[in-house]
Tab-separated table of all heavy atoms in Angstrom:
chain	number	residue	atom	x	y	z
A	1	SER	N	-61.782	-32.572	-200.355
A	1	SER	CA	-61.455	-33.808	-199.936
A	1	SER	C	-60.250	-34.415	-200.769
A	1	SER	O	-59.350	-35.081	-200.249
A	1	SER	CB	-62.659	-34.833	-199.990
A	1	SER	OG	-63.669	-34.336	-199.115
A	2	LEU	N	-60.391	-34.259	-202.053
A	2	LEU	CA	-59.417	-34.738	-202.987
A	2	LEU	C	-58.078	-34.027	-202.706
A	2	LEU	O	-57.019	-34.630	-202.772
A	2	LEU	CB	-59.842	-34.473	-204.425
A	2	LEU	CG	-58.939	-35.063	-205.525
A	2	LEU	CD1	-58.855	-36.518	-205.390
A	2	LEU	CD2	-59.458	-34.729	-206.908
A	3	LEU	N	-58.111	-32.730	-202.474
A	3	LEU	CA	-56.824	-31.994	-202.183
A	3	LEU	C	-56.223	-32.514	-200.894
A	3	LEU	O	-55.022	-32.708	-200.877
A	3	LEU	CB	-57.189	-30.447	-201.987
A	3	LEU	CG	-55.960	-29.585	-201.695
A	3	LEU	CD1	-54.955	-29.636	-202.750
A	3	LEU	CD2	-56.451	-28.238	-201.386
A	4	LEU	N	-56.981	-32.800	-199.867
A	4	LEU	CA	-56.448	-33.280	-198.561
A	4	LEU	C	-55.806	-34.681	-198.783
A	4	LEU	O	-54.696	-34.948	-198.256
A	4	LEU	CB	-57.506	-33.357	-197.504
A	4	LEU	CG	-58.011	-32.072	-197.023
A	4	LEU	CD1	-59.156	-32.251	-196.003
A	4	LEU	CD2	-56.874	-31.312	-196.322
A	5	VAL	N	-56.468	-35.559	-199.565
A	5	VAL	CA	-55.877	-36.840	-199.852
A	5	VAL	C	-54.567	-36.705	-200.636
A	5	VAL	O	-53.599	-37.379	-200.394
A	5	VAL	CB	-56.915	-37.794	-200.630
A	5	VAL	CG1	-56.256	-39.034	-201.181
A	5	VAL	CG2	-58.074	-38.093	-199.692
A	6	TRP	N	-54.586	-35.889	-201.605
A	6	TRP	CA	-53.322	-35.651	-202.374
A	6	TRP	C	-52.220	-35.113	-201.549
A	6	TRP	O	-51.096	-35.666	-201.698
A	6	TRP	CB	-53.612	-34.644	-203.633
A	6	TRP	CG	-52.378	-34.366	-204.336
A	6	TRP	CD1	-51.660	-33.242	-204.281
A	6	TRP	CD2	-51.642	-35.235	-205.148
A	6	TRP	NE1	-50.529	-33.281	-205.026
A	6	TRP	CE2	-50.463	-34.563	-205.557
A	6	TRP	CE3	-51.705	-36.554	-205.541
A	6	TRP	CZ2	-49.519	-35.143	-206.385
A	6	TRP	CZ3	-50.850	-37.142	-206.375
A	6	TRP	CH2	-49.666	-36.426	-206.869
A	7	CYS	N	-52.488	-34.181	-200.672
A	7	CYS	CA	-51.420	-33.589	-199.760
A	7	CYS	C	-50.970	-34.678	-198.834
A	7	CYS	O	-49.654	-34.804	-198.694
A	7	CYS	CB	-51.986	-32.466	-198.966
A	7	CYS	SG	-52.273	-30.940	-199.945
A	8	ALA	N	-51.746	-35.471	-198.326
A	8	ALA	CA	-51.320	-36.599	-197.411
A	8	ALA	C	-50.427	-37.583	-198.195
A	8	ALA	O	-49.354	-37.945	-197.684
A	8	ALA	CB	-52.472	-37.261	-196.805
A	9	PHE	N	-50.788	-37.888	-199.418
A	9	PHE	CA	-49.915	-38.759	-200.203
A	9	PHE	C	-48.672	-38.168	-200.593
A	9	PHE	O	-47.636	-38.681	-200.464
A	9	PHE	CB	-50.663	-39.208	-201.466
A	9	PHE	CG	-49.829	-40.007	-202.388
A	9	PHE	CD1	-49.537	-41.322	-202.150
A	9	PHE	CD2	-49.335	-39.375	-203.565
A	9	PHE	CE1	-48.686	-42.064	-202.995
A	9	PHE	CE2	-48.478	-40.139	-204.433
A	9	PHE	CZ	-48.259	-41.449	-204.192
A	10	ALA	N	-48.681	-36.870	-201.063
A	10	ALA	CA	-47.543	-36.201	-201.578
A	10	ALA	C	-46.439	-36.005	-200.439
A	10	ALA	O	-45.249	-35.987	-200.689
A	10	ALA	CB	-47.910	-34.843	-202.151
A	11	LEU	N	-46.921	-35.862	-199.195
A	11	LEU	CA	-45.966	-35.617	-198.108
A	11	LEU	C	-45.473	-36.945	-197.425
A	11	LEU	O	-44.647	-36.922	-196.604
A	11	LEU	CB	-46.616	-34.763	-197.025
A	11	LEU	CG	-46.980	-33.334	-197.538
A	11	LEU	CD1	-47.679	-32.592	-196.438
A	11	LEU	CD2	-45.673	-32.616	-197.853
A	12	SER	N	-46.071	-38.087	-197.846
A	12	SER	CA	-45.683	-39.330	-197.219
A	12	SER	C	-44.465	-39.910	-197.982
A	12	SER	O	-44.161	-39.589	-199.085
A	12	SER	CB	-46.849	-40.364	-197.318
A	12	SER	OG	-46.953	-40.788	-198.627
A	13	PRO	N	-43.765	-40.832	-197.315
A	13	PRO	CA	-42.604	-41.532	-197.917
A	13	PRO	C	-43.010	-42.366	-199.187
A	13	PRO	O	-42.196	-42.596	-200.049
A	13	PRO	CB	-42.063	-42.453	-196.824
A	13	PRO	CG	-42.503	-41.926	-195.630
A	13	PRO	CD	-43.905	-41.209	-195.877
A	14	LEU	N	-44.222	-42.727	-199.253
A	14	LEU	CA	-44.762	-43.525	-200.426
A	14	LEU	C	-44.683	-42.742	-201.742
A	14	LEU	O	-44.709	-43.308	-202.799
A	14	LEU	CB	-46.142	-44.034	-200.150
A	14	LEU	CG	-46.336	-45.042	-199.022
A	14	LEU	CD1	-47.810	-45.311	-198.747
A	14	LEU	CD2	-45.584	-46.254	-199.244
A	15	ALA	N	-44.755	-41.443	-201.561
A	15	ALA	CA	-44.741	-40.606	-202.827
A	15	ALA	C	-43.417	-40.557	-203.570
A	15	ALA	O	-43.405	-40.265	-204.753
A	15	ALA	CB	-45.249	-39.106	-202.467
A	16	THR	N	-42.346	-40.809	-202.818
A	16	THR	CA	-40.987	-40.650	-203.464
A	16	THR	C	-40.801	-41.501	-204.702
A	16	THR	O	-40.425	-41.036	-205.753
A	16	THR	CB	-39.890	-40.920	-202.424
A	16	THR	OG1	-40.056	-40.042	-201.364
A	16	THR	CG2	-38.573	-40.738	-203.016
A	17	PRO	N	-41.141	-42.820	-204.599
A	17	PRO	CA	-40.962	-43.698	-205.847
A	17	PRO	C	-42.027	-43.235	-206.978
A	17	PRO	O	-41.653	-43.423	-208.142
A	17	PRO	CB	-41.269	-45.072	-205.384
A	17	PRO	CG	-41.518	-45.096	-203.982
A	17	PRO	CD	-41.488	-43.660	-203.478
A	18	VAL	N	-43.171	-42.809	-206.651
A	18	VAL	CA	-44.209	-42.502	-207.581
A	18	VAL	C	-43.962	-41.093	-208.191
A	18	VAL	O	-43.946	-40.994	-209.419
A	18	VAL	CB	-45.647	-42.506	-206.950
A	18	VAL	CG1	-46.667	-42.056	-207.951
A	18	VAL	CG2	-45.913	-43.933	-206.386
A	19	LEU	N	-43.674	-40.170	-207.405
A	19	LEU	CA	-43.476	-38.713	-207.885
A	19	LEU	C	-41.969	-38.439	-208.228
A	19	LEU	O	-41.768	-37.408	-208.853
A	19	LEU	CB	-43.973	-37.685	-206.843
A	19	LEU	CG	-45.481	-37.902	-206.440
A	19	LEU	CD1	-45.788	-36.919	-205.343
A	19	LEU	CD2	-46.379	-37.638	-207.697
A	20	GLY	N	-41.122	-39.318	-207.761
A	20	GLY	CA	-39.786	-39.051	-208.079
A	20	GLY	C	-39.157	-38.168	-206.925
A	20	GLY	O	-39.870	-37.821	-205.959
A	21	GLY	N	-37.941	-37.935	-206.960
A	21	GLY	CA	-37.336	-37.245	-205.890
A	21	GLY	C	-36.266	-38.083	-205.176
A	21	GLY	O	-36.108	-39.241	-205.364
A	22	LYS	N	-35.519	-37.441	-204.226
A	22	LYS	CA	-34.511	-38.148	-203.556
A	22	LYS	C	-35.028	-38.757	-202.305
A	22	LYS	O	-35.738	-38.166	-201.489
A	22	LYS	CB	-33.458	-37.019	-203.137
A	22	LYS	CG	-32.222	-37.595	-202.448
A	22	LYS	CD	-31.244	-36.469	-202.149
A	22	LYS	CE	-30.170	-37.027	-201.328
A	22	LYS	NZ	-29.245	-35.920	-200.799
A	23	PRO	N	-34.801	-40.073	-202.162
A	23	PRO	CA	-35.265	-40.765	-200.941
A	23	PRO	C	-34.573	-40.158	-199.724
A	23	PRO	O	-33.526	-39.684	-199.674
A	23	PRO	CB	-34.911	-42.251	-201.174
A	23	PRO	CG	-34.170	-42.291	-202.451
A	23	PRO	CD	-34.117	-40.882	-202.989
A	24	ARG	N	-35.300	-40.403	-198.508
A	24	ARG	CA	-34.691	-39.914	-197.265
A	24	ARG	C	-33.462	-40.755	-196.975
A	24	ARG	O	-33.427	-41.954	-197.201
A	24	ARG	CB	-35.713	-40.030	-196.128
A	24	ARG	CG	-36.838	-39.039	-196.322
A	24	ARG	CD	-37.765	-39.025	-195.156
A	24	ARG	NE	-38.429	-40.380	-195.060
A	24	ARG	CZ	-39.078	-40.764	-193.961
A	24	ARG	NH1	-39.217	-39.965	-192.952
A	24	ARG	NH2	-39.621	-41.940	-193.891
A	25	GLY	N	-32.441	-40.197	-196.380
A	25	GLY	CA	-31.305	-40.927	-195.871
A	25	GLY	C	-31.578	-41.745	-194.754
A	25	GLY	O	-32.556	-41.586	-193.987
A	26	VAL	N	-30.702	-42.747	-194.519
A	26	VAL	CA	-30.782	-43.701	-193.401
A	26	VAL	C	-30.992	-42.963	-192.088
A	26	VAL	O	-31.622	-43.332	-191.175
A	26	VAL	CB	-29.691	-44.692	-193.389
A	26	VAL	CG1	-29.620	-45.523	-192.200
A	26	VAL	CG2	-29.777	-45.564	-194.677
A	27	ASP	N	-30.106	-41.897	-191.962
A	27	ASP	CA	-30.134	-41.160	-190.666
A	27	ASP	C	-31.540	-40.424	-190.384
A	27	ASP	O	-31.823	-40.158	-189.227
A	27	ASP	CB	-29.038	-40.086	-190.720
A	27	ASP	CG	-29.113	-39.115	-191.907
A	27	ASP	OD1	-29.593	-39.499	-192.973
A	27	ASP	OD2	-28.821	-37.891	-191.662
A	28	ARG	N	-32.281	-40.261	-191.439
A	28	ARG	CA	-33.626	-39.647	-191.199
A	28	ARG	C	-34.746	-40.721	-191.067
A	28	ARG	O	-35.800	-40.402	-190.691
A	28	ARG	CB	-33.921	-38.734	-192.394
A	28	ARG	CG	-33.022	-37.514	-192.375
A	28	ARG	CD	-33.488	-36.282	-193.040
A	28	ARG	NE	-34.784	-35.930	-192.765
A	28	ARG	CZ	-35.652	-35.386	-193.575
A	28	ARG	NH1	-35.241	-35.210	-194.772
A	28	ARG	NH2	-36.884	-35.054	-193.220
A	29	VAL	N	-34.436	-41.974	-191.439
A	29	VAL	CA	-35.379	-43.004	-191.423
A	29	VAL	C	-35.432	-43.734	-190.088
A	29	VAL	O	-36.436	-44.040	-189.519
A	29	VAL	CB	-35.185	-44.048	-192.570
A	29	VAL	CG1	-36.137	-45.168	-192.454
A	29	VAL	CG2	-35.308	-43.381	-193.877
A	30	PHE	N	-34.163	-43.986	-189.493
A	30	PHE	CA	-34.004	-44.706	-188.296
A	30	PHE	C	-33.567	-43.821	-187.103
A	30	PHE	O	-32.911	-42.780	-187.315
A	30	PHE	CB	-33.098	-45.872	-188.427
A	30	PHE	CG	-33.496	-46.871	-189.487
A	30	PHE	CD1	-32.823	-46.914	-190.727
A	30	PHE	CD2	-34.507	-47.685	-189.274
A	30	PHE	CE1	-33.178	-47.781	-191.704
A	30	PHE	CE2	-34.953	-48.610	-190.241
A	30	PHE	CZ	-34.259	-48.710	-191.466
A	31	SER	N	-33.917	-44.219	-185.942
A	31	SER	CA	-33.452	-43.564	-184.792
A	31	SER	C	-31.927	-43.548	-184.649
A	31	SER	O	-31.226	-44.478	-185.159
A	31	SER	CB	-34.008	-44.157	-183.575
A	31	SER	OG	-33.341	-43.895	-182.391
A	32	ARG	N	-31.349	-42.548	-183.965
A	32	ARG	CA	-29.889	-42.539	-183.717
A	32	ARG	C	-29.389	-43.637	-182.885
A	32	ARG	O	-28.321	-44.072	-182.958
A	32	ARG	CB	-29.523	-41.236	-183.057
A	32	ARG	CG	-29.692	-40.044	-183.979
A	32	ARG	CD	-29.390	-38.696	-183.328
A	32	ARG	NE	-28.618	-38.783	-182.158
A	32	ARG	CZ	-27.397	-38.063	-182.051
A	32	ARG	NH1	-27.128	-37.283	-182.954
A	32	ARG	NH2	-26.774	-38.137	-180.958
A	33	GLU	N	-30.325	-44.264	-182.088
A	33	GLU	CA	-29.965	-45.360	-181.289
A	33	GLU	C	-29.904	-46.664	-182.026
A	33	GLU	O	-29.578	-47.731	-181.382
A	33	GLU	CB	-31.031	-45.453	-180.079
A	33	GLU	CG	-30.839	-44.409	-179.035
A	33	GLU	CD	-31.346	-43.019	-179.448
A	33	GLU	OE1	-32.396	-43.074	-180.088
A	33	GLU	OE2	-30.769	-41.966	-179.095
A	34	THR	N	-30.394	-46.734	-183.278
A	34	THR	CA	-30.467	-47.991	-183.967
A	34	THR	C	-29.035	-48.437	-184.301
A	34	THR	O	-28.223	-47.556	-184.904
A	34	THR	CB	-31.253	-47.777	-185.301
A	34	THR	OG1	-32.554	-47.386	-184.963
A	34	THR	CG2	-31.346	-49.124	-186.032
A	35	PRO	N	-28.597	-49.562	-184.032
A	35	PRO	CA	-27.229	-50.044	-184.220
A	35	PRO	C	-26.906	-50.351	-185.769
A	35	PRO	O	-26.552	-51.454	-186.004
A	35	PRO	CB	-26.970	-51.190	-183.283
A	35	PRO	CG	-28.345	-51.804	-183.326
A	35	PRO	CD	-29.353	-50.616	-183.336
A	36	LEU	N	-27.000	-49.341	-186.574
A	36	LEU	CA	-26.757	-49.550	-188.006
A	36	LEU	C	-25.357	-50.103	-188.298
A	36	LEU	O	-25.117	-50.987	-189.109
A	36	LEU	CB	-27.094	-48.328	-188.851
A	36	LEU	CG	-28.516	-47.758	-188.750
A	36	LEU	CD1	-28.579	-46.411	-189.377
A	36	LEU	CD2	-29.453	-48.734	-189.368
A	37	GLY	N	-24.392	-49.458	-187.706
A	37	GLY	CA	-23.031	-49.853	-187.916
A	37	GLY	C	-22.642	-51.209	-187.493
A	37	GLY	O	-21.876	-51.958	-188.099
A	38	VAL	N	-23.257	-51.588	-186.307
A	38	VAL	CA	-23.059	-52.989	-185.799
A	38	VAL	C	-23.544	-53.940	-186.765
A	38	VAL	O	-22.907	-54.989	-187.069
A	38	VAL	CB	-23.695	-53.137	-184.379
A	38	VAL	CG1	-23.628	-54.579	-183.935
A	38	VAL	CG2	-23.003	-52.194	-183.421
A	39	ALA	N	-24.814	-53.740	-187.262
A	39	ALA	CA	-25.395	-54.695	-188.214
A	39	ALA	C	-24.568	-54.809	-189.485
A	39	ALA	O	-24.302	-55.955	-189.985
A	39	ALA	CB	-26.878	-54.281	-188.558
A	40	LYS	N	-24.110	-53.690	-189.970
A	40	LYS	CA	-23.293	-53.760	-191.201
A	40	LYS	C	-21.993	-54.505	-190.949
A	40	LYS	O	-21.493	-55.287	-191.748
A	40	LYS	CB	-22.956	-52.349	-191.647
A	40	LYS	CG	-22.085	-52.331	-192.985
A	40	LYS	CD	-21.759	-50.900	-193.419
A	40	LYS	CE	-20.964	-50.919	-194.660
A	40	LYS	NZ	-20.052	-51.946	-194.891
A	41	ASN	N	-21.347	-54.299	-189.803
A	41	ASN	CA	-20.083	-54.973	-189.467
A	41	ASN	C	-20.330	-56.458	-189.340
A	41	ASN	O	-19.584	-57.244	-189.786
A	41	ASN	CB	-19.575	-54.457	-188.119
A	41	ASN	CG	-18.346	-55.215	-187.740
A	41	ASN	OD1	-18.465	-56.077	-186.895
A	41	ASN	ND2	-17.217	-54.788	-188.236
A	42	LEU	N	-21.468	-56.842	-188.732
A	42	LEU	CA	-21.730	-58.289	-188.541
A	42	LEU	C	-22.097	-58.923	-189.940
A	42	LEU	O	-21.812	-60.051	-190.158
A	42	LEU	CB	-22.886	-58.540	-187.559
A	42	LEU	CG	-22.508	-58.182	-186.125
A	42	LEU	CD1	-23.733	-58.343	-185.260
A	42	LEU	CD2	-21.325	-59.048	-185.712
A	43	ARG	N	-22.653	-58.159	-190.872
A	43	ARG	CA	-22.896	-58.681	-192.220
A	43	ARG	C	-21.594	-58.833	-192.911
A	43	ARG	O	-21.395	-59.794	-193.612
A	43	ARG	CB	-23.791	-57.702	-193.055
A	43	ARG	CG	-25.242	-57.834	-192.696
A	43	ARG	CD	-26.127	-57.088	-193.710
A	43	ARG	NE	-25.652	-55.744	-194.112
A	43	ARG	CZ	-25.970	-54.573	-193.461
A	43	ARG	NH1	-26.814	-54.685	-192.394
A	43	ARG	NH2	-25.540	-53.480	-193.852
A	44	ASP	N	-20.664	-57.855	-192.718
A	44	ASP	CA	-19.361	-57.926	-193.436
A	44	ASP	C	-18.487	-59.029	-192.857
A	44	ASP	O	-17.724	-59.667	-193.592
A	44	ASP	CB	-18.584	-56.624	-193.297
A	44	ASP	CG	-19.211	-55.469	-194.064
A	44	ASP	OD1	-20.118	-55.789	-194.880
A	44	ASP	OD2	-18.928	-54.346	-193.760
A	45	LYS	N	-18.609	-59.312	-191.524
A	45	LYS	CA	-17.841	-60.365	-190.931
A	45	LYS	C	-18.868	-61.197	-190.127
A	45	LYS	O	-18.944	-61.088	-188.847
A	45	LYS	CB	-16.773	-59.762	-189.975
A	45	LYS	CG	-15.814	-58.870	-190.576
A	45	LYS	CD	-14.935	-58.181	-189.611
A	45	LYS	CE	-14.014	-57.255	-190.234
A	45	LYS	NZ	-13.222	-56.462	-189.310
A	46	PRO	N	-19.522	-62.134	-190.743
A	46	PRO	CA	-20.532	-62.921	-190.114
A	46	PRO	C	-19.969	-63.768	-188.890
A	46	PRO	O	-18.942	-64.422	-189.019
A	46	PRO	CB	-21.111	-63.911	-191.155
A	46	PRO	CG	-20.713	-63.172	-192.511
A	46	PRO	CD	-19.434	-62.519	-192.158
A	47	PRO	N	-20.598	-63.723	-187.747
A	47	PRO	CA	-20.131	-64.456	-186.605
A	47	PRO	C	-20.411	-65.934	-186.740
A	47	PRO	O	-21.333	-66.356	-187.353
A	47	PRO	CB	-20.939	-63.907	-185.475
A	47	PRO	CG	-22.180	-63.305	-186.035
A	47	PRO	CD	-21.741	-62.926	-187.443
A	48	GLN	N	-19.453	-66.649	-186.185
A	48	GLN	CA	-19.490	-68.150	-186.269
A	48	GLN	C	-19.745	-68.633	-184.785
A	48	GLN	O	-18.951	-69.244	-184.181
A	48	GLN	CB	-18.162	-68.799	-186.721
A	48	GLN	CG	-17.743	-68.283	-188.064
A	48	GLN	CD	-18.775	-68.658	-189.199
A	48	GLN	OE1	-19.296	-69.732	-189.217
A	48	GLN	NE2	-19.019	-67.733	-190.083
């Protein structure tokens, strides 16, 4: 039981800050359909 709980934690995104390691990139966190570039552009040039 303890091994299963540890494996579930170690493989989850929550383990990265605790165990260290490289966080997943934005391209792996969000869908390709997510308008990331649009949101960044609108932050850089806020609409009036």
Side-chain angles (χ1 to χ4, degrees):
S1 298
L2 186 61
L3 178 65
L4 289 174
V5 168
W6 174 254
C7 288
F9 173 74
L11 295 174
S12 77
L14 296 173
T16 302
V18 175
L19 300 176
K22 184 177 174 189
R24 292 185 297 167
V26 170
D27 58 324
R28 295 204 44 216
V29 175
F30 299 107
S31 162
R32 290 171 28 120
E33 286 79 32
T34 306
L36 299 170
V38 173
K40 181 181 181 329
N41 176 265
L42 293 175
R43 282 192 314 271
D44 293 345
K45 299 175 184 174
Q48 303 299 316

